[in-house]
Amino acid sequence: MMIFKTIRISSLFILLPLFINAQAEKAFNGIELGSPLEVVSDKLDEISETTKVITIDLPSFPLAKDKETHLVCTNITTASGIIQRTVFTFADDKLVYIEAKGNAIATFTKNRKDTASIYMDYSIYSRDKLLLNKKKDVAWIMNNEAMHVNLFTWENPYADPHYKKTSTAEAKNVIPPFLKMGASMEEIKPLIEANSKFIAVEELDGNDPNAQIQINGFGVDYMGFPRKIEARFGDNKLNVVWILSGKGEEDRIRKALIAQYGEAIYTNDEWEIFNDWQVGLRKDKPEVLLMEKQIGLSYKSSYFKQ
């Protein structure tokens, strides 16, 4: 039995340690990830045609606990070119995520001599924590926690100049009901695809004895945010799902799980377990774990020693 994913299928996660000291964000007048809104705003006022601050009263951004803010800038002048529109996202007043559109690829690849790694449609310059989608002319710079949530596959709606928030629909705060444990891959795959922005199917390396195939769904709605899920199949049956999350939303997810399943039946520093050992809130590496009941009860004894 293996409750931990020892390897992420994406090579991006192997590269994570290289992101710690990168400086790609300094292209924007020397700003740094982790800086407060006031400091970043002052620097961007000097190089942007326009700036606008958007504050979200009830955050859904996974990295934000209490406060989510987006600083939208147009026609930013950098040493390598003018970027048409860029959104700087702050979680609890710390810059954690940057998305640039329009002349972004040309600006960030000008004079580069290193070679990018490739994952799906994304080019990754790990030393600069820079990710590019050349088809869409979009560049992302983000911290490690944003990488964990796969925010490079999310397109901030405020990066679209025509975006208008019109929906007041309540967030889907329950586990997606189409994730039915024990269902066949033929049944579940089209449902994941229908509820995702796009999917990727991968063969596992054999480290997990319970699963041979993983379907990654990108853009699945949970807790009001489109996110990545990792659905694992053993002998063609769905038996484990990981829903990637952020530390900032831990308390929101906890409340949602309690509302759906009742109070946790087991708690330690790293886990809170619900629904007769079939749902886990992981706290050391933020994720929600869904398990087929037999696997959950096996983990109860083998891993949690209960």
Side-chain angles (χ1 to χ4, degrees):
M1 297 292 178
M2 180 174 292
I3 197 164
F4 294 108
K5 297 166 286 182
T6 57
I7 273 187
R8 286 284 190 194
I9 299 303
S10 165
S11 60
L12 292 175
F13 294 90
I14 299 172
L15 299 173
L16 277 178
L18 299 178
F19 283 73
I20 294 174
N21 296 315
Q23 301 292 319
E25 70 272 21
K26 286 186 175 293
F28 298 103
N29 201 20
I31 68 169
E32 296 182 357
L33 290 177
S35 297
L37 173 62
E38 183 178 2
V39 171
V40 175
S41 181
D42 287 347
K43 287 181 174 290
L44 292 173
D45 279 342
E46 299 175 0
I47 59 172
S48 302
E49 184 176 292
T50 66
T51 62
K52 179 181 180 180
V53 175
I54 299 170
T55 301
I56 309 299
D57 294 331
L58 298 175
S60 61
F61 188 69
L63 278 58
K65 181 179 180 181
D66 300 310
K67 185 179 180 182
E68 171 187 344
T69 309
H70 304 271
L71 175 61
V72 183
C73 301
T74 62
N75 294 328
I76 298 179
T77 300
T78 75
S80 299
I82 296 176
I83 300 176
Q84 295 174 5
R85 191 173 180 90
T86 305
V87 183
F88 302 81
T89 299
F90 298 79
D92 304 308
D93 203 34
K94 293 182 179 180
L95 179 62
V96 296
Y97 174 92
I98 302 168
E99 181 176 331
K101 301 181 71 172
N103 199 39
I105 302 302
T107 299
F108 280 106
T109 57
K110 186 178 181 180
N111 300 322
R112 293 198 72 99
K113 296 181 180 180
D114 52 337
T115 301
S117 301
I118 304 297
Y119 176 65
M120 298 188 296
D121 290 335
Y122 302 90
S123 300
I124 308 108
Y125 293 93
S126 59
R127 292 178 61 184
D128 282 349
K129 62 180 181 302
L130 171 67
L131 298 100
L132 309 174
N133 186 317
K134 294 182 179 180
K135 294 180 180 179
K136 296 183 176 182
D137 194 12
V138 182
W140 293 267
I141 304 167
M142 63 189 73
N143 68 5
N144 287 352
E145 189 178 5
M147 284 292 299
H148 165 67
V149 192
N150 280 232
L151 288 183
F152 57 92
T153 65
W154 175 63
E155 293 183 45
N156 191 320
Y158 298 107
D160 181 354
H162 305 295
Y163 173 73
K164 292 183 179 180
K165 189 174 182 180
T166 57
S167 174
T168 57
E170 186 175 347
K172 296 179 181 178
N173 292 344
V174 298
I175 298 298
F178 64 87
L179 297 173
K180 300 176 182 178
M181 292 296 157
S184 69
M185 187 163 64
E186 289 76 17
E187 178 184 353
I188 293 295
K189 181 181 176 182
L191 295 176
I192 296 176
E193 194 164 16
N195 286 276
S196 302
K197 182 180 177 182
F198 57 89
I199 69 170
V201 180
E202 300 176 356
E203 292 187 10
L204 299 177
D205 57 12
N207 283 332
D208 185 348
N210 298 309
Q212 299 85 42
I213 298 293
Q214 177 169 304
I215 298 179
N216 299 312
F218 298 87
V220 176
D221 187 8
Y222 177 58
M223 300 297 295
F225 195 87
R227 62 186 73 234
K228 183 188 180 187
I229 67 166
E230 301 171 350
R232 291 193 166 196
F233 295 81
D235 299 325
N236 202 46
K237 302 295 184 182
L238 180 66
N239 57 27
V240 166
V241 176
W242 296 88
I243 303 175
L244 275 59
S245 60
K247 190 65 176 178
E249 61 182 344
E250 181 181 296
D251 191 53
R252 298 196 294 271
I253 292 177
R254 177 184 294 107
K255 290 176 179 177
L257 293 176
I258 291 172
Q260 187 171 2
Y261 300 114
E263 295 289 339
I265 59 176
Y266 174 83
T267 300
N268 65 16
D269 290 342
E270 297 178 347
W271 290 91
E272 294 179 23
I273 304 296
F274 301 83
N275 195 30
D276 196 17
W277 298 89
Q278 295 175 78
V279 178
L281 172 62
R282 186 175 180 182
K283 297 179 285 188
D284 61 328
K285 187 175 184 179
E287 295 169 321
V288 177
L289 171 63
L290 313 179
M291 298 171 283
E292 186 271 330
K293 189 170 184 178
Q294 183 178 355
I295 289 179
L297 292 176
S298 176
Y299 289 157
K300 174 185 177 181
S301 58
S302 65
Y303 180 78
F304 293 104
K305 309 301 181 185
Q306 299 296 304

